[in-house]
């Protein structure tokens, strides 16, 4: 049997926590709540801690987490380090695993979400098989949901409010057709709808063995804009499933709870408003730290105003007698380092405030100190009360960092510029190193690279705000191409840099972009950017191209082409605009125009394998067999892991009648992605050509399991059933195809033939008439209609 003795780490933790002073009522209320069963009417499911910066919200939340763990709870803590709901779930899953509770299915889906999201931009840019006209009904549902703010379609969601559902649906259909499965498509189109039910299922399993599950959502003033609607949905509806009754949620932010959204939940929520420490609480903390000399205590109370972070900082500094009291220094910084005599440590603490977050490498770049002292100084800084550690990075408390920054900026403007320039260069070197092995189109999909870019941009903005603003806004525009989660950190960066450097232009942009994103999503943000453009900003062309991309994906090709022209007038070498215009032209059937654009793309960006693959796909759509095979073969040589290239070349071979080559290519594509629905459906045509109806049906069955709401796939399977004499079964597929896409001419024609084969000639004739009304130039439907008329004449 294992030892029941506590570990050394547990004992140390208990002793440290024993020093937690103050907030006795709040802690007691939370502890009492965990003693009540969820069925008790006095039990509360939600606690909201709120108060101004510096009152100890995070410290209290962490204390509540420890209280919960002592009660046997599984806990998860999230703060402003996350930029979206999926990212928050990733953090929670990691913490649950560290406590011995693996949420394996959630972890699997989160990993798939990250991978599929990286593929989404390429999948959309590559277009899709143009087998039919018009969106499916399933896509229309996605479109309408996106229009009310769910943001299901990447990038295109930015303009959902300005576009009709039919246009938006086109982008969803194209994306679905290229992913491995329906689940993969939904992980990109609506990740919260896929992930949340799995999270709730996994929580329910843990709820059977853990007395409590406590979720703590800190810095809610920053995370609330995206977490609060989701949390309300999870806690007050069963849309995603049932939340276990033994879940308690703690939120913490500067503002009171949104009563407009949560008003009806008041009887199930406890508010914990925090103010500064009372004098009794402050004295208790000082006494616990050995600070009892009355003149010293009085000076600490005067200097701190009872703010817990400041009281704790000064207590840790160790004032020992009245000789340390009475320093008339007017700077706020001296409040925090008042009793730190070592000038090297004081300088290190000030310099360490310059980065928003720092690890040991950043610390060395920020601090002027002998190399052999850096490790010791970093260790000392890590132990300061105003420094917290999150995700392996140190972060100063805002109440302490802000005056430290202000002091350095005002005391030595030149030194401020030089230090931030040095930090920007350090981040730039690390960013350059991180680019090794990444293609240009992969950089923004790499979280580590993005973090380094953010750090570099922050320090450039602090060093030379006006000079760096254009580049930062250009990065905001680029981030818009990757969705809300990607752009939020950049908007936050501008807001923080504007405050920290007191640059009004940067501060104004940051504040206005924050409001635009919160109020109108990416659509509002891009409208603001383009509306304020003066004409000389380097990011304008990219912003127009992004807007054109969205219009093209959402089925407004004529408007998109106009906006691509506008983008290219500003920047004739903008690859994104040339490539987007190529895909848009291809979607309208102008394959020659598309190919001309793609020739230009390859001139400008010859080393990107996606470009030659994309040109090969358009040669295939234009029925240029030899050129298609040549480009796709070159694309495969450059990127043999591209299942798209293998499948596209397979489709080209199948259309040209080279069934053996087609089959080999589809086998390679499916070896890379076994659940690649489009490749399965296209391979079924190879089996059709080889006369193997059983394998044809098997591939279509599997494709439709993966992608059940695929009108083209349903019609293909209906055809496969019809030619084997299984017309009754075929009718079910045709009916479903037409439910999904009421304007699908081929499904009407095929259903008409099956109905006639079953003796339902009048119904069959009506279907064929409908097909010809939709597509007058449809020879097969016209021939089948003539055949039905002959049958009717024979009856």
């Amino acid at each position: 049997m294992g030892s029941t003795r506590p570990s050394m780490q547990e004992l140390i933790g208990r002793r440290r926590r024993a020093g937690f002073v103050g907030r006795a009522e709040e802690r007691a209320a939370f502890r009492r709540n965990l003693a009540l069963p969820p069925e008790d009417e006095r039990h509360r499911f939600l606690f909201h801690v709120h108060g101004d910066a510096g009152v100890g919200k995070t410290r209290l939340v962490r204390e509540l987490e420890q209280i919960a763990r002592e009660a046997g709870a599984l806990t998860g803590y999230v703060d402003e380090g996350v930029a979206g709901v999926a990212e928050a779930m990733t953090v929670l899953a990691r913490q649950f695993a560290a406590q011995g509770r693996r949420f394996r299915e959630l972890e699997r889906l989160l990993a798939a979400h990250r991978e599929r999201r990286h593929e989404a931009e390429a999948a959309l840019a590559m277009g899709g098989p143009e087998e039919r006209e018009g969106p499916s009904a399933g896509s229309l549902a996605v479109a309408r949901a996106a229009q009310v703010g769910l943001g299901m379609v990447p990038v295109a969601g930015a303009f959902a409010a300005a576009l009709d559902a039919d246009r938006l649906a086109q982008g969803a259909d194209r994306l679905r057709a290229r992913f491995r499965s329906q689940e993969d498509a939904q992980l990109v189109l609506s990740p919260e709808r896929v992930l949340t039910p799995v999270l709730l299922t996994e929580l329910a399993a843990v709820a059977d063995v853990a007395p409590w599950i406590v979720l703590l959502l800190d810095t809610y003033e920053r995370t609330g804009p995206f977490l609060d609607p989701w949390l309300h949905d999870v806690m007050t509806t069963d849309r995603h499933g049932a939340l276990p009754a033994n879940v308690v949620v703690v939120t913490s932010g500067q503002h009171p709870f949104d009563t407009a959204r949560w008003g009806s939940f008041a009887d199930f929520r406890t508010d914990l408003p925090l103010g500064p420490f009372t004098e009794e609480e402050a004295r208790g903390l000082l006494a616990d730290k050995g600070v009892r000399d009355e003149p010293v205590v009085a000076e600490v109370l005067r200097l701190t105003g009872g703010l817990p972070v400041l009281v704790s900082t000064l207590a840790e500094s160790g004032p020992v007698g009245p000789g340390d009291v009475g320093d008339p220094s007017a700077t706020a910084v001296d409040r925090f380092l008042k009793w730190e005599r070592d000038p090297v440590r004081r300088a290190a603490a000030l310099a360490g405030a310059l980065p928003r977050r720092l690890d040991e490498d950043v610390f060395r770049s920020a601090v002027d100190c002998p190399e052999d002292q850096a490790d010791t100084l970093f260790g000392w800084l890590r132990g300061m009360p105003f420094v917290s550690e999150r995700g392996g990075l140190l972060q100063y408390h805002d109440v302490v960092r802000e005056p430290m920054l202000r002091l350095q900026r005002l005391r030595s403007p030149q030194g401020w510029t030089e230090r931030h320039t040095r930090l920007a260069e350090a981040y730039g070197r690390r960013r350059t190193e991180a680019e090794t092995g990444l293609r240009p189109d992969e950089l923004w999909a790499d979280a580590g690279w993005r973090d380094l870019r953010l750090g570099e941009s922050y320090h450039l903005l602090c060093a030379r705000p006006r000079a760096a603003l254009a580049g930062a806004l250009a990065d905001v525009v680029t981030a818009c191409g990757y969705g809300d989660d990607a752009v939020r950190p950049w908007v936050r960066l501008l807001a923080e840099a504007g405050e920290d450097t007191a640059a009004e232009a940067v501060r104004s942009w940051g504040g206005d972009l924050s409001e635009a994103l919160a109020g109108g999503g990416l659509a509002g943000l891009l409208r603001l950017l383009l509306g304020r453009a003066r004409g000389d900003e380097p990011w304008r062309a990219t912003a127009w191209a992004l807007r054109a991309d969205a219009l093209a994906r959402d089925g407004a090709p004529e408007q998109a082409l106009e906006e691509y022209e506008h983008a290219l007038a500003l920047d004739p070498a903008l690859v994104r605009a040339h490539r987007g215009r190529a895909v848009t032209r291809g979607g309208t059937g102008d394959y020659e125009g598309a190919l001309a654009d793609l020739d230009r793309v390859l001139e400008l960006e010859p080393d990107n394998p996606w470009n030659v693959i994309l040109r090969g796909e358009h040669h295939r759509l234009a029925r240029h067999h030899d050129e298609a095979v040549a480009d796709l073969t070159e694309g495969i040589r450059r990127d043999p892991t591209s299942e798209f290239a293998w499948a596209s070349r397979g489709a080209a071979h199948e259309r040209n009648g080279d069934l053996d080559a087609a089959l080999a290519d589809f086998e390679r594509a499916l070896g890379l992605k076994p659940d690649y629905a489009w490749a399965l459906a296209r391979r079924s045509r190879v089996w059709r050509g080889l006369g193997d109806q059983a394998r044809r049906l098997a591939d279509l069955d599997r494709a439709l399991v993966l992608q059940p709401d695929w009108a083209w796939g349903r019609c293909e399977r209906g055809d496969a059933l019809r030619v084997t004499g299984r017309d009754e079964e075929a009718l079910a597929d045709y009916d479903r195809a037409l439910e999904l896409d009421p304007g699908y001419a081929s499904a009407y024609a095929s259903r008409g033939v099956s109905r006639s084969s079953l003796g339902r000639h009048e119904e069959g004739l009506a279907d064929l008439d409908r097909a010809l009304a939709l597509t007058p130039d449809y020879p097969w439907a016209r021939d089948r209609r003539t055949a039905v008329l002959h049958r009717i004449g024979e009856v």
Side-chain angles (χ1 to χ4, degrees):
M1 293 180 62
S3 173
T4 58
R5 287 175 173 271
S7 68
M8 179 185 296
Q9 291 88 343
E10 289 173 329
L11 289 174
I12 291 173
R14 289 179 190 175
R15 291 183 188 178
R16 284 178 173 168
R17 287 190 53 247
F20 188 97
V21 176
R23 312 306 184 197
E25 291 183 9
E26 291 83 358
R27 289 183 289 154
F30 187 74
R31 196 176 275 114
R32 285 195 302 271
N33 195 64
L34 296 182
L36 297 171
E39 297 79 10
D40 194 307
E41 291 188 358
R42 294 170 295 173
H43 180 80
R44 295 295 179 262
F45 299 101
L46 177 63
F47 286 76
H48 182 58
V49 179
H50 60 95
D52 293 336
V55 297
K57 298 186 296 295
T58 294
R59 195 161 177 258
L60 175 60
V61 168
R62 286 300 198 180
E63 174 68 7
L64 299 183
E65 181 180 26
Q66 291 300 325
I67 291 172
R69 288 198 177 187
E70 288 176 359
L74 178 73
T75 68
Y77 173 89
V78 171
D79 61 14
E80 79 272 19
V82 303
V85 174
E87 205 171 325
M89 290 192 206
T90 300
V91 171
L92 291 173
R94 190 179 304 127
Q95 294 177 11
F96 295 155
Q99 296 168 68
R101 300 292 182 184
R102 291 286 302 275
F103 284 21
R104 297 184 187 278
E105 179 62 11
L106 180 62
E107 290 174 10
R108 181 189 72 79
L109 286 173
L110 285 166
H113 164 69
R114 291 189 291 271
E115 184 180 347
R116 297 294 86 76
R117 184 175 170 183
H118 294 168
E119 295 171 357
E121 186 73 10
L124 284 169
M126 296 300 292
E130 301 298 332
E131 303 292 352
R132 57 170 176 76
E133 297 285 335
S136 70
S139 294
L140 290 172
V142 171
R144 294 185 183 107
Q147 286 180 305
V148 297
L150 294 180
M152 292 183 180
V153 180
V155 186
F159 297 93
L163 297 169
D164 60 57
D166 288 346
R167 293 175 179 176
L168 188 57
Q170 296 282 353
D173 275 338
R174 289 180 189 162
L175 190 56
R176 281 197 184 93
R178 288 303 184 191
F179 279 122
R180 301 179 186 181
S181 64
Q182 177 77 357
E183 177 186 271
D184 282 350
Q186 290 303 308
L187 277 172
V188 173
L189 297 176
S190 50
E192 293 169 25
R193 290 191 173 187
V194 177
L195 296 170
T196 304
V198 177
L199 171 65
L200 297 181
T201 298
E202 305 243 39
L203 287 173
V206 172
D208 290 336
V209 294
W212 297 104
I213 301 168
V214 177
L215 308 180
L216 306 106
L217 310 178
D218 204 358
T219 55
Y220 212 56
E221 68 275 8
R222 292 181 176 173
T223 61
F226 54 87
L227 284 182
D228 197 56
W230 171 78
L231 182 65
H232 182 268
D233 213 25
V234 167
M235 294 190 72
T236 66
T237 76
D238 59 0
R239 187 172 295 122
H240 303 289
L243 184 68
N246 61 341
V247 171
V248 175
V249 177
V250 178
T251 55
S252 172
Q254 294 185 9
H255 312 300
F257 231 47
D258 181 357
T259 54
R261 174 175 286 147
W262 290 88
S264 62
F265 206 73
D267 291 342
F268 309 94
R269 185 185 77 239
T270 293
D271 284 323
L272 298 178
L274 298 187
F277 271 171
T278 64
E279 180 175 336
E280 181 182 359
E281 288 174 323
R283 285 179 176 276
L285 189 151
L286 291 170
D288 187 70
K289 300 295 183 181
V291 180
R292 296 183 174 85
D293 188 83
E294 184 54 35
V296 175
V297 170
E299 178 67 356
V300 170
L301 294 175
R302 183 184 71 81
L303 290 173
T304 64
L307 282 179
V309 66
L310 306 187
V311 175
S312 180
T313 296
L314 296 189
E316 291 285 351
S317 301
V320 295
D324 290 325
V325 181
D327 184 347
S329 171
T331 69
V333 174
D334 279 341
R335 297 183 183 185
F336 315 136
L337 301 175
K338 182 176 177 63
W339 288 285
E340 179 51 65
R341 302 298 189 186
D342 186 343
V344 175
R345 285 186 171 181
R346 290 175 66 92
L350 285 169
L354 293 174
R356 296 192 302 165
R357 299 170 188 83
L358 67 160
D359 57 19
E360 195 160 351
D361 291 334
V362 175
F363 179 77
R364 289 172 185 271
S365 299
V367 176
D368 293 316
C369 70
E371 181 65 24
D372 60 356
Q373 294 185 31
D375 289 347
T376 302
L377 283 172
F378 188 72
W380 167 78
L381 185 64
R382 175 183 271 129
M384 293 298 287
F386 55 78
V387 174
S388 60
E389 188 165 354
R390 299 175 182 177
L393 299 175
L394 303 189
Q395 183 172 336
Y396 280 42
H397 196 290
D398 288 344
V399 169
V400 176
R401 183 171 180 260
E402 288 171 7
M404 286 187 173
L405 293 177
R406 187 165 56 251
L407 173 69
Q408 294 177 86
R409 189 181 71 247
L410 297 177
R411 177 182 289 172
S412 175
Q414 185 61 35
W416 169 271
T417 298
E418 290 174 356
R419 286 179 182 273
H420 279 293
T421 299
R422 187 170 66 201
L423 281 162
E425 291 171 349
Y427 271 105
R429 287 191 296 272
R430 293 173 66 180
R431 174 184 56 78
T432 301
E433 293 170 3
E435 292 172 358
T436 302
L438 293 175
R439 297 192 309 265
D441 59 305
E442 293 176 324
L443 297 178
W444 281 84
D446 186 271
W449 182 90
R450 288 200 309 269
D451 287 344
L452 293 171
R453 178 89 166 194
L454 282 163
E456 180 183 12
S457 296
Y458 171 79
H459 291 294
L460 287 172
L461 284 166
C462 288
R464 294 177 177 82
R466 290 188 179 276
L469 180 57
L473 290 173
D475 282 342
V476 170
V477 171
T478 302
C480 286
Y482 295 82
D484 292 51
D485 290 359
V487 81
R488 280 192 194 102
W490 287 97
V491 172
R492 187 183 301 166
L493 172 82
L494 282 165
E496 291 181 9
E499 292 295 331
D500 295 344
T501 199
E504 183 54 36
V506 179
R507 179 162 47 202
S508 175
W509 269 110
D512 293 345
L513 287 172
S514 296
E515 289 183 11
L517 185 63
L522 289 178
L525 185 143
L526 282 166
R527 278 195 296 270
L528 175 67
L529 283 164
L530 290 170
R532 284 196 180 174
R534 298 187 306 273
D536 59 347
E537 295 90 342
W539 46 263
R540 289 175 66 237
T542 301
W544 283 112
L546 270 172
R547 183 180 175 92
D549 287 347
L551 290 167
R553 294 189 193 99
D554 299 342
E558 293 181 1
Q559 292 174 263
L561 289 172
E562 290 178 6
E563 307 229 349
Y564 284 126
E565 293 293 342
H566 196 34
L568 290 168
L570 294 169
D571 184 358
L574 185 60
V575 171
R576 182 178 199 125
H578 283 291
R579 186 165 48 218
R581 188 171 68 175
V583 173
T584 304
R585 283 176 164 173
T588 65
D590 181 9
Y591 301 125
E592 298 306 323
L595 289 165
D597 275 331
L598 289 167
D599 288 341
R600 180 62 175 147
V601 167
L602 280 162
E603 290 175 13
L604 295 168
E605 195 179 77
D607 296 329
N608 185 346
W610 280 111
N611 293 333
V612 70
I613 293 169
L614 183 58
R615 189 172 69 177
E617 170 70 356
H618 278 77
H619 276 304
R620 181 186 76 82
L621 292 170
R623 305 202 176 201
H624 300 162
H625 174 72
D626 292 341
E627 293 88 343
V629 171
D631 271 349
L632 292 167
T633 300
E634 174 61 16
I636 288 168
R637 185 190 69 78
R638 296 187 190 186
D639 183 6
T641 66
S642 172
E643 75 288 340
F644 180 93
W646 287 104
S648 183
R649 194 175 72 173
H653 285 314
E654 184 271 328
R655 177 175 285 163
N656 200 49
D658 191 348
L659 300 183
D660 289 338
L663 189 58
D665 280 349
F666 286 128
E667 293 294 337
R668 289 298 299 271
L670 291 163
L672 290 165
K673 282 191 176 181
D675 294 335
Y676 191 177
W678 188 76
L680 287 164
R682 294 302 304 224
R683 188 175 68 175
S684 75
R685 291 193 164 190
V686 177
W687 299 127
R688 179 185 67 183
L690 294 171
D692 193 334
Q693 297 298 336
R695 286 183 174 177
R696 179 187 181 189
L697 273 170
D699 272 354
L700 289 167
D701 286 344
R702 187 173 165 198
L704 287 168
V705 167
L706 298 168
Q707 196 169 310
D709 296 332
W710 188 10
W712 181 76
R714 289 283 175 185
C715 191
E716 283 285 298
R717 189 171 69 175
D719 289 344
L721 292 165
R722 176 175 53 80
V723 298
T724 59
R726 298 161 65 180
D727 288 287
E728 285 286 1
E729 295 172 73
L731 286 179
D733 273 332
Y734 295 139
D735 289 345
R736 180 59 180 149
L738 290 167
E739 285 176 16
L740 294 167
D741 186 353
Y744 194 173
S746 294
Y748 278 113
S750 292
R751 188 173 72 173
V753 173
S754 279
R755 281 178 164 175
S756 181
S757 295
L758 293 168
R760 296 157 61 180
H761 302 303
E762 294 297 335
E763 293 176 77
L765 189 61
D767 274 345
L768 287 160
D769 286 343
R770 177 64 174 153
L772 287 165
L774 290 165
T775 310
D777 185 16
Y778 193 168
W780 187 83
R782 192 167 300 281
D783 290 344
R784 296 302 93 196
R785 182 178 184 275
T786 300
V788 173
L789 287 172
H790 282 307
R791 287 185 185 176
I792 293 175
E794 295 171 0
V795 173

